Amino acid sequence: MGLFSNWDLKPRDYDKIVDQKLPNAEKVLNESQYDTKLGLNMARDARKVINGSMKIDDFHKVYSSSLTMEFGSYYASDTPDTKKTNKGPKWVMVIDLQKCIGCDTCTVSCKAENRTPPGISYNVVMESLEGEFPNIKAMNLPRPCMQCDKPACAQVCPTRATYKMENGIVVIDNDRCIGCRYCIVACPYGARSFDFGDSYEQEMTGYNDVTSPEYGVERGERKKGKTPIGTVRKCSFCFHRLQRGEEPACVETCIGDARFFGDINDPNSVVSKLAASPRAFRLKEELGTQPSVIYLR
Amino acid sequence: MSNLALKLEHKSTKSTDTKVFKIWISALTVAFLAGGYFIVERMITGLSATNLSSITPWGAWIAFYIFFVGLSAGSFLLSTLIYVFGMEEYERIGKAALFTAIVCMIVALTFVLMDLGRPERLMNAIIYWNVTSPLGWEVHFYLVYIALLMVELYIAMREDLVRAANTNTLKGFVARLLTSKNSTINTLTKKRDHMWMKILGTIGIPIAILGVHGGTGTIFAMVKARPAWNTAIFPIIFVVSAMVSGTALLLAMYVIKRKVQKKPIDQKMIISLSKLMAGFLIIDLGLQFYEYLTGWYGLEIEHLDTLATMMASDLSWSFWGVQMFLGAVVPLTIVFWKKTNQNINALLVAAILIVVGIIGVRFNIVVPSLIVPVFHELPWGDYFPTVKEWMVSVGVVAMGLLIYSIGELLLPIEETSEEVSHNGK
């Protein structure tokens, strides 16, 4: 390192430091009773497997014969089953309407979490009264995005900017969306909103300082003409929170504990059990959209 | 002496002609510049310039877009009546019909551009084409359709271009640019041009009916979230009302142009064209009647709400006043009443009213369905176009009329030869 060189350590420099601290692989392996060369080669290829330039199946193919020769009956490993038997989670929300008290906490926490501008609420509670006084019944129906299995919005999007992920969430690629609003028209649940660029800056200083990291994309300051302004927005089951291992904001803050969130692929999960209840129903099921939000009546 | 008088008269009409044209062009330029200011403002401020919301996401611009797509498809289909089905009595307006179709498509696509939240990403609809999206298909159909129209117009104009290339006018200069030096007109080329017109017109018919206009209808008909749109008859109504508006527009344009130029008007053609227009309008009304009847009889709450918004709310003047009275009752009376059905001025009024009525039809398609929310508990939409939206629309329409006027100045779109060519036969 010279006088004028940059004193910041680069990743390569850390590698060097680590290499210095590591024991000499050849020396260590020589001390063992097994083949040194085989060990070194396997270590090299194992790194390739980890960085993705080699398939695990190929790794096993190359080494299984020499490993059997070396270790004999002690070697018992076979190629791991890489075919997907477990597809990973498919997120589902269950909302127990008997527990919902209509406090709108979910709406507020959603607004705070996703920093949605005026006129946009990913989650609303639809309140209605049934019957005639005095025999009335209040009905609270929280409505996030249904994350349909057959989403009408994704069907009509001309640019494939909105699509269904394997984990069940219908996402919007705000960098691709042209803002034609066809999806808003086509959504039978009114779950989509257009970002007209309004702001709470007048009422709340610092509102524009940061955009919610929806879908895990950091967008920084909210500015005129900057994405997601001019595009369509919707509930993402708080995907950015799921990535951190947290539940969606509405589920976490629900006062009556009316919302449940989990993996429907796991038959033992709470949501799977609740979804099997005879109380379970979904909104506008006749449209064939197959929502992932299940209500308990 | 009499010859001289004739010549003088010809000259004087010509000078008034250019005067009227100058006034027309300057009026259009003023309208375009006024609208242009708001177009620029809209591009800077985004869609907050409109009264749209997430409940009513589509409004005036989408209504105008489908209106102009309809005009385009309608005038194109009329041109096919001439070039494919050999209805020679309408040949005087054949090229004007094709050029109108092109200009209307340009205006329609400009309205779409105005309506996009992110106009700069327009190309995404082509780059990332989603094959399940009716809108994605439409964008492609529109481009193919415009290309086809341009080729067809060129072939239709070819003879006149070759003829004009010998003259020393502005038209001649443009014609020389567009034709090769050794283009000639003889029976062989006449036959060839005629054949190509027929082939292109025949290809164009399914593209215009199924692709462009029926397709624009499917944009709405495919939306199961809106029961008032989600009917199989919807795209058909679109095509039929396109025919209505296209015929009416061409009739009106022909009469107005002839009147301004003080040229004789082909009364027989006008009367038969007005009958055609009325026929289309009656079919259109019949289809609409069944559409509303099934919706009403179905008693589906959202559908009833939509019909109520259209026919019995603050906005119902648009349905009863514009769509039904001005756009249907008055023109039908004019066309079928003995006292008026031979009068060109009355028929002109009928045609203009029909065009205005179809604008009402388009608004009544887009707005009422989107004012009714998808759940009863959600807020209802409250939409009426802002001044800015109207001004942008004025600007875009003025742009279209400017393109048309300049195109007519530079290209031999009007039938120049006094004698109609009778399909090259």
Side-chain angles (χ1 to χ4, degrees), chain B residues 119-402:
Chain B
E120 75 276 13
R121 294 183 190 160
L122 178 71
M123 290 307 285
N124 281 8
I126 290 165
I127 302 168
Y128 308 108
W129 181 10
N130 180 10
V131 289
T132 60
S133 168
L135 194 55
W137 276 91
E138 281 323 291
V139 174
H140 292 81
F141 267 126
Y142 294 157
L143 297 180
V144 172
Y145 175 66
I146 291 175
L148 182 121
L149 285 174
M150 285 183 167
V151 176
E152 206 179 336
L153 178 64
Y154 178 79
I155 296 172
M157 287 191 315
R158 205 194 68 90
E159 273 183 25
D160 292 319
L161 281 173
V162 172
R163 237 178 268 132
N166 297 324
T167 59
N168 208 1
T169 54
L170 192 59
K171 251 184 194 167
F173 176 70
V174 176
R176 276 195 291 282
L177 286 180
L178 290 175
T179 52
S180 84
K181 256 181 196 154
N182 13 344
S183 312
T184 49
I185 315 168
N186 54 39
T187 44
L188 213 73
T189 60
K190 268 187 184 175
K191 229 179 190 163
R192 184 195 63 192
D193 288 353
H194 180 52
M195 184 192 73
W196 274 109
M197 284 306 284
K198 210 163 187 175
I199 292 173
L200 289 173
T202 316
I203 300 172
I205 290 171
I207 292 181
I209 293 182
L210 298 175
V212 174
H213 215 64
T216 308
T218 47
I219 290 179
F220 296 86
M222 299 285 204
V223 177
K224 60 188 168 195
R226 315 276 168 177
W229 291 346
N230 190 20
T231 63
I233 206 177
F234 207 81
I236 299 170
I237 295 183
F238 253 74
V239 176
V240 177
S241 43
M243 296 294 296
V244 178
S245 60
T247 322
L249 180 77
L250 286 173
L251 196 160
M253 275 182 13
Y254 173 78
V255 174
I256 292 173
K257 233 162 36 196
R258 287 274 153 163
K259 273 192 186 286
V260 171
Q261 293 166 343
K262 299 200 173 69
K263 281 183 185 162
I265 297 170
D266 188 342
Q267 197 184 8
K268 232 174 88 189
M269 184 186 82
I270 293 300
I271 291 165
S272 103
L273 209 55
S274 72
K275 291 270 157 36
L276 190 73
M277 169 180 88
F280 286 140
L281 181 56
I282 289 167
I283 300 172
D284 194 28
L285 288 173
L287 290 173
Q288 277 176 26
F289 170 73
Y290 286 118
E291 167 91 352
Y292 300 143
L293 183 69
T294 39
W296 174 64
Y297 195 84
L299 298 177
E300 204 177 345
I301 187 99
E302 269 171 47
H303 209 151
L304 289 182
D305 281 345
T306 310
L307 289 179
T309 311
M310 185 157 67
M311 297 176 188
S313 74
D314 299 347
L315 297 171
S316 57
W317 57 268
S318 162
F319 179 78
W320 295 114
V322 181
Q323 179 175 342
M324 281 302 157
F325 185 71
L326 291 181
V329 176
V330 177
L332 283 180
T333 316
I334 291 175
V335 173
F336 289 112
W337 195 28
K338 255 185 200 154
K339 278 192 182 164
T340 48
N341 68 3
Q342 304 291 321
N343 185 339
I344 285 175
N345 287 333
L347 291 178
L348 173 65
V349 170
I352 291 171
L353 285 180
I354 284 182
V355 174
V356 173
I358 297 289
I359 298 181
V361 172
R362 299 315 188 201
F363 269 85
N364 292 334
I365 285 171
V366 175
V367 178
S369 267
L370 294 176
I371 281 188
V372 179
V374 284
F375 285 108
H376 229 70
E377 294 80 11
L378 291 177
W380 282 54
D382 178 20
Y383 177 77
F384 194 79
T386 55
V387 176
K388 288 176 186 173
E389 281 178 88
W390 288 120
M391 287 310 293
V392 167
S393 309
V394 166
V396 175
V397 175
M399 179 198 80
L401 288 170
L402 266 179

Side-chain angles (χ1 to χ4, degrees), chain A residues 45-112:
Chain A
D45 285 347
R47 281 201 193 96
K48 283 187 187 168
V49 171
I50 285 165
N51 72 24
S53 60
M54 190 177 188
K55 277 186 188 159
I56 184 83
D57 306 71
D58 295 337
F59 182 81
H60 279 267
K61 229 179 259 168
V62 169
Y63 292 108
S64 68
S65 62
S66 37
L67 281 171
T68 321
M69 227 155 70
E70 191 72 27
F71 297 103
S73 56
Y74 291 106
Y75 172 67
S77 169
D78 205 351
T79 315
D81 193 4
T82 49
K83 273 176 205 151
K84 274 186 187 166
T85 45
N86 182 12
K87 280 187 283 182
K90 183 172 172 292
W91 301 117
V92 154
M93 190 182 285
V94 176
I95 303 177
D96 190 341
L97 298 180
Q98 300 297 333
K99 283 172 144 185
C100 176
I101 57 169
C103 64
D104 286 312
T105 302
C106 44
T107 310
V108 173
S109 64
C110 172
K111 231 172 162 29

